[in-house]
Amino acid sequence: MKYILVTGGVISGIGKGIIASSVGTILKSCGLHVTAIKIDPYINIDAGTFSPYEHGEVFVLDDGGEVDLDLGNYERFLDIRLTRDNNLTTGKIYQSVINKERRGDYLGKTVQVVPHITDAIQEWVMRQAKVSVDDDGIEPEVCVIELGGTVGDIESMPFIEAFRQFQFKVKRENFCNIHVSLVPQPNSTGEQKTKPTQNSVRELRGLGLSPDLIVCRCSTPLDTAVKEKISMFCHVEPEQVICIHDVSSIYRVPLLLEDQGIVDYFCGRLNLLIEMRPRTMLTKWKEMSDRSDRLLEHTSIALVGKYTKLSDSYASVIKALEHSALAINYKLEVKYIDSADLEPAALQEEPVKYHEAWQKLCRADGVLVPGGFGVRGTEGKIQAINWARRQKKPFLGVCLGMQLAVCEFARNVLGWEDANSTEFDPETKHPVVIEMPEHNPGQLGGTMRLGKRRTLFKSTSSVLRKLYGDAEYVDERHRHRFEVNPELKHHFEDRGFRFVGQDLEGERMEIIELEDHTYFVGVQYHPEFPIPGDLAIIHQSSVRQSEEAPVEGITSSTYMGF
């Protein structure tokens, strides 16, 4: 097993996840089996209880694991299927060590960070690296490990120490460290500054890890003199300093890495036996990236949510929309609309924001209402749904978006003015969305209906069924505590509001469609979370597709119906 550790310096959010995904993609395109592990030093057991403003969206895996959004990057780039154990947190490590201590596994010894925590980290990584993530069941040959945060963070110290020991345990020829650092370029001088990178590498080396590759994130390509300066002060050859400057698309990053000889470096440094070069697959990446830059037709989608100040809150939704637009040769413009700004109360309190929000909505070609929790902004989402329904604008509701579409229809078509979800109004006389009976209200983490579930189509004329290639069922990922009240189902269907997809037992409403509408669809699952095998967009050739037909192999996970 070959291990590639990706660390970061200077600032967080520098792009370690994209670098790790791109390295894995290049190695996989060389014919190697690659897996990925994301380490988050926070004490939370998982990402399930995070606000999206904390760490971006919560990504859901097949097995129901609620994990960091970087695992979504790994699945999209590498076309692999990860598990909850591929996301390692301080909370998980300490929980496993404390459980062992309570069972007496340490035979009365004093349990300490070194060696017990560090040993647990190494054992977890070595165990999980062997788990197959491809459909062929073959054990991976390379494990890319991303250590979240920045070097020097107090919470990441046990992990740094663990990998300091780990490099000797697995031998030098099986372990490689990539350090991602920022090279700022102040507008006042325009000069690329190397001091932050020097300090970051010095601190990393002081902790016992010496980077093999230094990946410099910068706004413009590195000057040769700057590259040589980093090489001299950071104890690496100039060829080991890699420049990843700002590019038009993240899918150009693997191309930048490959152009700078990273494959040859890994072959020599890790003794990799590579029989094929990544040119064929990466040529398709280049064609796709070039095509993205050349697109002339534009389409705009209004994303009506409550976390719109941080785009990472809806990372997978945005990626799915981008893939969809590219599949039909359109350049996407996402109009972020804070749903609270659409509410009547906003007209009194902040009229400028109110009118700007409605102008954005009215000019959009389609409306998407994503998932979410909590009552704030829900009335604004219902206003947007009502507008899309009446104006015959294409609409897609995801999770909460579907539930609110049910509420909107009940209020404005069925005449149930107080219709609501019991999440927002427990006393409503028309509870059209109710809490699932198995949910434990006393605990939030990991208590939802999570992971991959099967949805059966109940109609042969369903629009969404056609988008799925006339499939009889689909397997998609879920994350919800509330569901449409099945007892009220017939009231809706009598008025043309159809529940065309249901679960295996026929008790949970999974897909809604509205008759006599251009495209009005809601899904209880999250189609933006990719199911491996549906990620064909980045592996497709650049043959032009018609607007009426999605790229072969793409389901709603990437096509989204628009």
Side-chain angles (χ1 to χ4, degrees), residues 5 136 162 321 324 398 438 442 472 506 517:
L5 175 66
D136 56 18
L321 287 173
S324 308
V398 175
E438 66 268 33
E472 295 182 0
H517 193 286

Side-chain angles (χ1 to χ4, degrees), residues 97-387:
V97 170
I98 290 170
N99 289 340
K100 284 184 178 181
E101 186 273 335
R102 292 290 85 187
R103 290 197 305 265
D105 291 1
Y106 296 115
L107 303 177
K109 292 183 181 295
T110 302
V111 180
Q112 299 174 287
V113 173
V114 180
H116 301 102
I117 295 296
T118 53
D119 284 352
I121 294 168
Q122 296 172 57
E123 290 165 6
W124 190 302
V125 168
M126 295 180 75
R127 180 177 66 251
Q128 194 59 31
K130 296 179 181 179
V131 176
S132 174
V133 292
D134 293 299
D135 290 334
D136 56 18
I138 296 176
E139 183 178 309
E141 300 158 278
V142 179
C143 178
V144 180
I145 307 159
E146 179 192 346
L147 177 57
T150 55
V151 170
D153 292 346
I154 190 169
E155 59 263 31
S156 65
M157 289 300 183
F159 295 99
I160 295 289
E161 172 60 22
F163 286 109
R164 184 195 67 78
Q165 301 171 19
F166 190 69
Q167 63 185 330
F168 302 110
K169 179 181 289 188
V170 300
K171 307 302 180 186
R172 186 177 187 277
E173 64 270 17
N174 298 320
F175 181 86
C176 177
N177 176 216
I178 299 175
H179 188 62
V180 186
S181 183
L182 176 69
V183 177
Q185 192 169 359
N187 290 332
S188 56
T189 62
E191 183 183 0
Q192 294 172 328
K193 297 294 185 179
T194 65
K195 189 62 70 177
T197 297
Q198 293 177 45
N199 291 338
S200 180
V201 172
R202 184 184 301 117
E203 185 163 15
L204 183 63
R205 295 184 67 204
L207 295 170
L209 285 174
S210 186
D212 298 281
L213 289 173
I214 299 175
V215 175
C216 298
R217 285 285 292 110
C218 41
S219 56
T220 57
L222 280 184
D223 296 333
T224 303
V226 174
K227 204 171 190 179
E228 291 175 348
K229 188 175 181 180
I230 293 174
S231 165
M232 179 173 59
F233 282 101
C234 295
H235 200 64
V236 293
E237 294 288 338
E239 294 74 23
Q240 293 170 259
V241 180
I242 306 293
C243 168
I244 301 295
H245 58 273
D246 293 346
V247 287
S248 58
S249 166
I250 61 172
Y251 300 114
R252 289 195 178 276
V253 175
L255 303 174
L256 287 177
L257 290 171
E258 204 269 343
D259 285 343
Q260 295 177 69
I262 199 169
V263 175
D264 292 333
Y265 179 80
F266 281 137
C267 286
R269 175 66 178 78
L270 297 174
N271 297 330
L272 290 175
L273 299 176
I274 295 177
E275 297 179 357
M276 54 184 287
R277 292 294 170 175
R279 275 295 170 193
T280 302
M281 177 184 162
L282 292 184
T283 297
K284 294 180 180 179
W285 280 72
K286 186 177 186 306
E287 290 172 351
M288 184 268 294
S289 298
D290 290 343
R291 186 159 57 97
S292 176
D293 292 341
R294 291 195 304 265
L295 296 176
L296 299 177
E297 298 286 345
H298 286 72
T299 187
S300 61
I301 300 298
L303 193 152
V304 183
K306 59 189 289 187
Y307 308 114
T308 52
K309 293 178 182 177
L310 180 66
S311 60
D312 272 357
S313 300
Y314 302 110
S316 291
V317 172
I318 302 306
K319 296 303 175 193
L321 287 173
E322 288 174 351
H323 294 174
S324 308
L326 185 57
I328 58 174
N329 290 298
Y330 272 74
K331 186 176 285 293
L332 173 71
E333 178 190 2
V334 178
K335 295 177 179 289
Y336 295 96
I337 301 176
D338 189 325
S339 55
D341 292 340
L342 298 172
E343 296 176 358
L347 178 59
Q348 305 300 323
E349 298 169 5
E350 295 184 278
V352 174
K353 285 188 176 181
Y354 175 84
H355 290 296
E356 287 178 348
W358 275 103
Q359 283 181 351
K360 282 184 183 180
L361 184 67
C362 294
R363 291 172 179 169
D365 298 318
V367 179
L368 192 152
V369 178
F373 295 91
V375 69
R376 183 179 67 83
T378 54
E379 292 302 319
K381 293 178 181 179
I382 289 176
Q383 293 282 344
I385 294 167
N386 175 261
W387 180 84

Side-chain angles (χ1 to χ4, degrees), residues 392 514-518:
K392 305 291 186 183
L514 186 61
E515 294 178 352
D516 301 324
H517 193 286
T518 309

Side-chain angles (χ1 to χ4, degrees), residues 403-472:
Q403 295 173 3
L404 293 179
V406 173
C407 294
E408 188 278 328
F409 192 86
R411 291 181 187 182
N412 299 307
V413 179
L414 300 184
W416 301 343
E417 294 183 1
D418 72 329
N420 213 331
S421 166
T422 56
E423 179 182 4
F424 313 128
D425 182 7
E427 306 302 323
T428 177
K429 294 180 181 178
H430 294 93
V432 294
V433 177
I434 58 174
E435 192 171 25
M436 293 186 296
E438 66 268 33
H439 172 231
N440 174 14
Q443 189 168 336
L444 294 179
T447 58
M448 291 182 280
R449 184 170 179 245
L450 292 163
K452 187 170 73 171
R453 299 285 192 278
R454 179 158 293 183
T455 296
L456 302 178
F457 283 105
K458 300 296 183 180
S459 169
T460 56
S461 60
S462 162
V463 172
L464 209 54
R465 178 170 179 164
K466 292 176 182 177
L467 286 175
Y468 275 102
D470 201 31
E472 295 182 0

